[in-house]
Amino acid sequence: MAQLMKIDGKRLLQDLLVLRDFTDTPGSGVTRFSYGTQDKKAREYLFEQAKALGCRIETDALKNVRIHMPQNKPECKRVVIGSHVDTVRNGGWLDGIYGVTGGLAVLRALKDCQLNRNLELVIFAEEEGSNFGSTMTGSKFIIGSYSGPDLDKLKNDQGVSLRTILGDPSPTELEAVQWDFAQIEAMLELHIEQGPVLERKGLPLGIVDVIFGMQVIEVEIKGVGNHAGATPMVDRKDALCAAAQCILAAEEMVGPDGTSVVTVGRIHAEPDCSNVIPEKAWFTLEVRDRDNKKIQTYMEHIIAAFKEICSQRGVDCQITRTSSSKPLSLDTGLIETMKGLAEKKRIPHQVMDSGAVHDACMIANHARTGMIFVPSIGGRSHVPEEDTKKEDLILGAQFLLDLASDLTGAK
Ligand code: GLV
Ligand code: MN
Ligand code: MN
């Protein structure tokens, strides 16, 4: 196994620090939505770094990016490394961007090597779904599970469609977004764990076997708005109280499970006035697990319970399914290779699942895919406190380099 190259850890940390400042919310975590100004700035910085290595940069109609090493040849298969640069609102400085800067560090380390497979850094667009409500949007187009009509369906909070944001790409441009998976030798995503497992066990490295699936719904409850002082409690049809009862019912149902998780991450009431009984309540709800049957069963029970609660309260309840992905097993061959490499390098590690979804889930149905985790301090992620020890960040990137060197036959 080739294993001579070394990651420039200082540069990796420097890149991450530069990119941390590309945020719409300075001082309150990183907010960098896809297709926004900060996303553009982060990409420009990364492109500059890649161009300095002589790499060729290709951006598709969805704004997914492929960065090709100068020594790549059209006839060779592709080893793809990468992740995303977008964040949730007030998110952390490492989610996604660590996999991209780690990938860049690998390109730097292999710049002058001979490769017998092509090496490519990919930046997936709109992974978080912060703009358009659907996670892994860029990779869903890459695998063809989203196509032209989805560009019209996906709308941001201002009601602007993804098609408009992207400048109305032609059917030919959209077709070109899809990858030819026969050309992919392997895909590797380096990421922070985003949970407490590695830190609790004192392990610097995780090798992912299964990524949780998820189903997401939007719930709109319509009651009757009225005066907050003059309307007796018995005469109310309060949409927000109905929503509160629904949310707690879902928590009670899933809470004791131990593996499955349920989250209501967004909620708002209308008219949003302290002295008006809410006429409307709207919220999102998602269920995740490593077992798809459990996700389906919980979701069916939750929807039935919501209908029952709303009918008892005499309010209307509309439920829309917005997004779903199935649990995914990653490539067993790559898992064995990673275990072997970790053992050889005497890195304490464990094989584990991922509660967070990743673009790797989309690719894994079509090509050999592996994921590497490093610990998250305090198990915190998607919040400004998100962090990882410097030495773990460097260790993860070095592990990615060793693996990529092996898969590309770097010499
Ligand atoms: C993406 O980070 C997700 O798991 O929602
Ligand atoms: Mn995330
Ligand atoms: Mn991520």
Side-chain angles (χ1 to χ4, degrees), residues 84 88 95 127-128 191 194 382:
H84 59 101
V88 294
D95 177 359
E127 191 270 352
E128 297 288 5
H191 210 281
Q194 309 185 270
H382 278 186

Side-chain angles (χ1 to χ4, degrees), residues 34-35 60 62-64 123-129 134-144 146 154 162 177-179 359 362-363:
S34 291
Y35 315 121
D60 70 21
L62 260 290
K63 306 259 186 267
N64 298 303
I123 302 172
F124 294 104
E126 183 65 350
E127 191 270 352
E128 297 288 5
S134 178
T135 51
M136 304 170 289
T137 298
S139 48
K140 282 175 181 165
F141 276 92
I142 284 175
I143 64 166
Y146 273 175
L154 293 167
L162 181 53
V177 175
Q178 289 186 39
W179 286 2
D359 294 301
M362 293 298 117
I363 307 303

